Amino acid sequence: MDMTIYIIILLLMVLCLVLLHHYKNKQKKILQTQGLANITYLKSLIGAVQTYRGLSSAWLNGDQSKKAMLLTFEQQANSDIKHLQQYMLSNQGGHWDSFVDHWGRVNQPGNTNDAENTFKQHTQMIANLIYLLEDEAEHKHLNAMSLKQLRHIGLVWRELIRATETIGQSRAIGVGVATKKQCSDLDKVRLSFLQQKMQKIINDVLPKLGSLESEKEQHKLLLTAAISTILCLMEAIESKLIEADKITISQKQYFTLASNSIKSLDDIFKHQIEQIKQVI
């Protein structure tokens, strides 16, 4: 066998490796794109359940005007579930099926008549969804190993999502307090604990988030806005709920204040998603 044949064989091997590499990258991008879509719907679903929990707290503590809004967010959640159903059926450990079953049972007529139990049930469901979101990111190559320009991305799927849930819990508890105009010792303890977690978000979570070089200015603006809204919420929790001799803040005012903090973190999340789209 002469040198020409050796060269031809070598070139063919190199070509096969190049084609295989190209194919793997193409398949990886397909998975990443689908993963981003699923994560977007999961995040929307988490937000809908969080808002449903907050509105339920007002409704079950006496504000019957929230009935129509509850239906709106129930429909949003059901829409997100319907979209995700085709992609999440084979998820690991049956967490998706567990969530869907739980959501259906909790929201059956007659089941949502106790504020404390409803809070716990929705909080469990949200924890399940957060796990699913993290797992989807890992399995769809949306991690630091695959997104080398966004080494911090794991913080987005874990700490940032959990930060939103911390504020979501404070919204539900605080709305209940503002509706019934009474802050029990248990409510004070829980709100104080959530305040501590919010301070940790400001000190330890948000500063560790990064961005692409081209997005640094926008990232900085979003972080500043989030810190400002969270500090305002923390001050309101302290002065208007925990330390107040009389609860004067309306549940609508408090709900809006907490929702603004959640939105500020959601804006950071959306900005991170847009940066991922730039690099995949």
Side-chain angles (χ1 to χ4, degrees):
M1 191 178 294
D2 60 27
M3 185 60 68
T4 303
I5 295 176
Y6 278 120
I7 293 173
I8 292 172
I9 292 172
L10 183 60
L11 289 173
L12 286 173
M13 289 176 65
V14 171
L15 179 60
C16 286
L17 289 172
V18 170
L19 290 173
L20 180 61
H21 179 72
H22 177 75
Y23 173 78
K24 286 184 176 180
N25 281 343
K26 186 176 180 180
Q27 292 302 112
K28 180 180 174 182
K29 184 172 181 178
I30 291 171
L31 286 174
Q32 288 176 321
T33 301
Q34 184 59 62
L36 274 183
N38 291 344
I39 283 171
T40 300
Y41 275 100
L42 281 167
K43 182 66 174 68
S44 173
L45 180 54
I46 290 169
V49 179
Q50 285 171 330
T51 304
Y52 191 94
R53 178 182 57 190
L55 293 170
S56 292
S57 182
W59 178 50
L60 294 171
N61 279 291
D63 185 357
Q64 297 302 308
S65 70
K66 294 295 184 287
K67 187 70 174 178
M69 292 177 68
L70 279 167
L71 180 59
T72 296
F73 284 96
E74 182 177 355
Q75 289 172 341
Q76 180 190 324
N78 288 338
S79 176
D80 291 334
I81 290 169
K82 184 177 179 181
H83 178 88
L84 285 162
Q85 192 72 9
Q86 60 183 311
Y87 300 107
M88 307 300 289
L89 283 175
S90 60
N91 84 85
Q92 52 300 324
H95 288 275
W96 174 252
D97 290 338
S98 175
F99 163 76
V100 173
D101 177 67
H102 199 172
W103 173 254
R105 284 187 289 106
V106 167
N107 292 307
Q108 284 180 353
N111 280 6
T112 53
N113 55 6
D114 178 79
E116 183 61 29
N117 182 58
T118 298
F119 173 84
K120 289 179 179 177
Q121 295 294 320
H122 284 98
T123 299
Q124 288 175 12
M125 284 189 278
I126 292 165
N128 204 350
L129 289 173
I130 291 173
Y131 171 85
L132 284 166
L133 189 150
E134 287 183 63
D135 203 74
E136 181 70 8
E138 188 63 32
H139 280 80
K140 293 298 196 300
H141 305 288
L142 295 167
N143 50 30
M145 185 178 295
S146 296
L147 302 172
K148 298 187 186 302
Q149 292 168 274
L150 297 167
R151 292 285 189 179
H152 66 280
I153 200 64
L155 295 171
V156 174
W157 311 137
R158 293 188 303 273
E159 280 78 358
L160 185 59
I161 296 294
R162 284 178 168 79
T164 306
E165 172 56 3
T166 292
I167 295 171
Q169 289 181 26
S170 76
R171 179 173 63 182
I173 295 168
V175 161
V177 170
T179 303
K180 61 189 178 184
K181 300 300 180 185
Q182 180 182 357
C183 194
S184 68
D185 289 340
L186 177 59
D187 290 331
K188 289 178 181 180
V189 169
R190 292 196 296 186
L191 287 170
S192 293
F193 174 69
L194 291 168
Q195 270 189 310
Q196 292 173 24
K197 293 180 75 172
M198 288 182 213
Q199 191 63 57
K200 186 175 177 63
I201 291 165
I202 291 172
N203 294 344
D204 300 334
V205 176
L206 295 182
K208 291 179 182 176
L209 295 174
S211 69
L212 298 174
E213 188 65 32
S214 60
E215 299 291 336
K216 274 192 172 181
E217 287 303 314
Q218 179 64 13
H219 180 67
K220 185 177 178 181
L221 288 172
L222 292 172
L223 289 182
T224 301
I227 290 169
S228 176
T229 58
I230 294 171
L231 286 172
C232 285
L233 176 61
M234 290 172 65
E235 196 281 328
I237 290 172
E238 186 69 25
S239 63
K240 303 293 186 181
L241 300 180
I242 296 175
E243 298 294 336
D245 294 327
K246 183 178 180 181
I247 308 297
T248 57
I249 189 171
S250 71
Q251 54 89 0
K252 184 176 180 181
Q253 288 175 315
Y254 182 81
F255 187 92
T256 299
L257 195 60
S259 296
N260 287 341
S261 292
I262 292 174
K263 182 183 180 302
S264 70
L265 293 179
D266 285 346
D267 288 342
I268 295 173
F269 182 85
K270 290 173 184 175
H271 188 231
Q272 294 290 325
I273 292 290
E274 291 304 313
Q275 291 176 80
I276 294 171
K277 290 179 181 178
Q278 291 181 40
V279 301
I280 63 174

